[in-house]
Amino acid sequence: TVTVTNGDTTECIVTNVDSPASPTGTTVQSWILKDTMTLTGIRAGAADADEAVVDFYLYSDATCETPVGSDLDNAVESGSAATDVGVAVSDPGTYYWIADYSGDAYNLDHQTVCGDEITVIQAQDEDNILPE
């Protein structure tokens, strides 16, 4: 505490002892899963062939009852279709695809079987440590 009377002069020295901040950070891993369906036995020449699409569905259970996401309306070109954007996931685990071809006037629709195609993601982070 300093008291300065009328007409007096005083000098104060301020020493800054502030320390830089020590930030911390966390990360979250995520993955974009993509898929491709190759069709065989396609009969060419249907008037509506350019309207045929493949819808891709991703599930988190072996019975394909718990949806994770989808990538829809993917064009069939030269007998195959691929996901455009893919499906984002942020949890390690086992994922199951179903691909659904719409068909056209010359070709019946076709759907793959749940479990025919499986994607397994293993990750190591603070919450998900891989076994050694």
Side-chain angles (χ1 to χ4, degrees):
T1 303
V2 176
T3 304
V4 181
T5 60
N6 195 10
D8 287 344
T9 302
T10 189
E11 183 177 318
C12 295
I13 297 175
V14 177
T15 303
N16 185 354
V17 292
D18 192 19
S19 302
S22 298
T24 61
T26 59
T27 62
V28 175
Q29 297 183 62
S30 64
W31 303 268
I32 303 292
L33 302 182
K34 295 190 173 193
D35 198 7
T36 300
M37 179 183 213
T38 301
L39 298 157
T40 56
I42 295 287
R43 184 182 307 158
D48 62 344
D50 61 341
E51 296 173 25
V53 296
V54 175
D55 294 333
F56 294 91
Y57 301 94
L58 187 66
Y59 298 87
S60 62
D61 62 296
T63 57
C64 291
E65 294 177 7
T66 308
V68 174
S70 59
D71 192 326
L72 307 176
D73 299 323
N74 297 282
V76 178
E77 297 177 11
S78 301
S80 69
T83 52
D84 180 38
V85 177
V87 179
V89 297
S90 58
D91 293 320
T94 303
Y95 296 93
Y96 304 83
W97 286 101
I98 291 180
D100 189 6
Y101 167 64
S102 65
D104 59 31
Y106 290 176
N107 300 284
L108 296 174
D109 62 334
H110 174 73
Q111 185 177 77
T112 61
V113 176
C114 178
D116 279 356
E117 189 173 24
I118 300 170
T119 301
V120 178
I121 296 175
Q122 293 182 318
Q124 181 173 335
D125 61 29
E126 189 174 311
D127 296 324
N128 300 295
I129 305 298
L130 291 174
E132 292 187 25

